[in-house]
Amino acid sequence: LAVKQRTILHAAARLPKPGGRLVYATCSVLQEENQQIVHDFLATHEDFKLRDAGDVLDENRIPLESGQFFELRPQTHGTDGFFAAVLEKTT
């Protein structure tokens, strides 16, 4: 579904105002549907930056450990696969 996901993300990029956030989320653990889509998006949208998901969770007092991306994996978390990236519009 990478082509469809890429199309949806690019279309949604026009919606946030400067300082606004766009959260790209999937129920997938596949790199080509997650990190690769985000990296490709950032390469073509200089007016967005990736926010560290762990920092965003901390700012909102949500006690979940995360890194650059928010990821849940069945074998680690006992949940379905889930991915999220926080993209902030800078201009």
Side-chain angles (χ1 to χ4, degrees):
L1 297 175
V3 172
K4 182 179 270 189
Q5 292 163 326
R6 187 174 283 112
T7 301
I8 292 168
L9 182 58
H10 285 278
R14 64 181 174 77
L15 300 174
K17 296 178 182 180
R21 294 179 180 167
L22 180 60
V23 176
Y24 173 71
T26 70
C27 294
S28 172
V29 296
L30 302 175
Q31 291 255 349
E32 57 270 10
E33 290 186 329
N34 297 328
Q35 293 90 340
Q36 191 59 52
I37 299 279
V38 172
H39 292 302
D40 291 348
F41 175 83
L42 292 170
T44 58
H45 290 82
E46 296 176 357
D47 55 338
F48 281 86
K49 68 177 180 180
L50 179 64
R51 290 288 312 272
D52 186 278
D55 290 346
V56 174
L57 291 170
D58 287 345
E59 290 167 8
N60 290 283
R61 297 184 182 142
I62 299 171
L64 293 173
E65 290 189 29
S66 186
Q68 185 176 30
F69 301 109
F70 180 71
E71 299 178 85
L72 296 177
R73 298 188 174 277
Q75 66 276 20
T76 305
H77 302 98
T79 65
D80 290 341
F82 184 79
F83 170 90
V86 180
L87 304 162
E88 187 172 289
K89 188 160 187 172
T90 57
T91 58

